[in-house]
């Protein structure tokens, strides 16, 4: 049995002109977490928003930690310098700080500017730093990155170096509304087989037509943007996603 189902609508598909209200409504419609996509225009070819906006929208969600548990503000950091922003996001109310494995060693992190900001961080040190800041730590993988890079982290003898969640991208990060890449599911299967208790998140192209494949592979944290925010009845979609994960998890 995999860990509990967590449905995390991606607010990338919300109406940015009324983000607070959209976030509050999504939680009322049955979401467990809010998936907050942070894009810097360097690591991905798109820009969203930063910590000040997270601080503002958090005020619209009623007692997130008490009502929904740790992790509610699930910040997916699609940024070239993940270490630089941990404190800012912690102060803004982020609960789970999920950085891209690729970002720690990306070419952007090799820039002269990055060198001065301590951006060239070993992923293990970054997980430890995120934990030291009091946050849950997630590590995300783009489609081209294999899961073997995670072994050292997930099997570290030091719990502070072990991520609380792995995010397997099922699209190239950067935009909502893309086609689901089933080719990424063997990564989910391999992780679930090795780590039965691990929170495994999938993100990109998830909705009623693709959820069963992801759930059967062993994903338990489901990000869905356009499928939830574009639905006639978002509560029904959230409930359907949850049922699919619960059904698959009972059979694992
Ligand atoms: O991180 C990303 C895109 O980079 C995702 O969170 C998408 O925003 C998910 O959107 P849908 O594919 O569900 O519309």
């Amino acid at each position: 049995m995999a860990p509990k189902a967590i449905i995390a609508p991606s607010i990338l598909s919300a109406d940015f002109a009324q983000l607070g209200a959209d976030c509050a409504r999504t939680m009322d419609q049955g979401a467990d977490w809010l998936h907050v996509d942070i894009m810097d225009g360097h690591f991905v070819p798109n820009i969203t928003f930063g910590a000040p906006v997270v601080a503002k929208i958090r005020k619209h969600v009623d007692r997130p930690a008490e009502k929904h548990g740790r992790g509610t503000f699930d910040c997916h950091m699609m940024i070239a310098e993940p270490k630089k922003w941990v404190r800012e996001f912690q102060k803004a109310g982020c609960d789970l700080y999920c950085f891209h494995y690729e970002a720690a060693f990306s070419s952007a992190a090799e820039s002269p500017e990055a060198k001065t900001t301590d951006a060239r961080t070993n992923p293990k040190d970054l997980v430890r730093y995120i934990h030291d800041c009091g946050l849950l730590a997630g590590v995300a993988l783009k489609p081209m990155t294999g899961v073997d890079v995670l072994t050292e982290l997930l099997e570290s003898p030091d719990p502070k170096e072990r991520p609380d969640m792995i995010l397997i991208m099922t699209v190239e990060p950067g935009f909502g509304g893309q086609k689901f890449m089933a080719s990424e599911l063997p990564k989910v299967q391999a992780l679930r087989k090795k780590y039965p208790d691990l929170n495994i998140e999938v993100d990109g192209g998830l909705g009623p037509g693709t959820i069963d494949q992801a759930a059967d592979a062993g994903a338990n944290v489901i990000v869905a943007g356009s499928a939830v925010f574009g639905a006639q009845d978002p509560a029904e979609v959230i409930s359907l996603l949850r049922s699919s994960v619960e059904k698959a998890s009972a059979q694992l």
Side-chain angles (χ1 to χ4, degrees), residues 1-68:
M1 184 120 162
K4 88 177 182 74
I6 294 173
I7 310 304
S10 160
I11 66 173
L12 190 60
S13 296
D15 179 346
F16 278 17
Q18 46 181 1
L19 203 43
D22 271 17
C23 290
R25 190 172 47 245
T26 301
M27 294 307 280
D28 291 343
Q29 284 162 342
D32 300 285
W33 292 357
L34 288 172
H35 184 81
V36 182
D37 286 304
I38 308 296
M39 304 185 186
D40 67 354
H42 291 281
F43 183 72
V44 288
N46 197 3
I47 297 176
T48 53
F49 50 80
V53 173
V54 174
K56 291 284 185 203
I57 55 177
R58 196 172 170 105
K59 294 198 176 120
H60 289 258
V61 177
D62 186 24
R63 292 182 296 126
E66 293 88 334
K67 284 175 85 172
H68 306 284

Side-chain angles (χ1 to χ4, degrees), residues 6 8 12 36 75 77 100 103 108 116 126 135 139 143 156 210 221 225 228:
I6 294 173
L12 190 60
V36 182
C75 294
M77 309 303 294
H100 267 269
T116 61
L126 186 47
L135 301 175
V139 181
S156 168
T210 51
V221 186
V228 170

Side-chain angles (χ1 to χ4, degrees), residues 10 12-13 35 37 39 44 76 78 169 171-178 203-206 223-227:
S10 160
L12 190 60
S13 296
H35 184 81
D37 286 304
M39 304 185 186
V44 288
H76 176 193
M78 286 166 271
M169 289 303 297
V171 295
E172 280 300 335
F175 298 92
Q178 300 184 74
D203 178 12
L206 272 309
V223 176
S226 38

Side-chain angles (χ1 to χ4, degrees), residues 212-228:
D212 286 344
Q213 295 173 68
D216 288 346
N220 71 299
V221 186
I222 310 299
V223 176
S226 38
V228 170

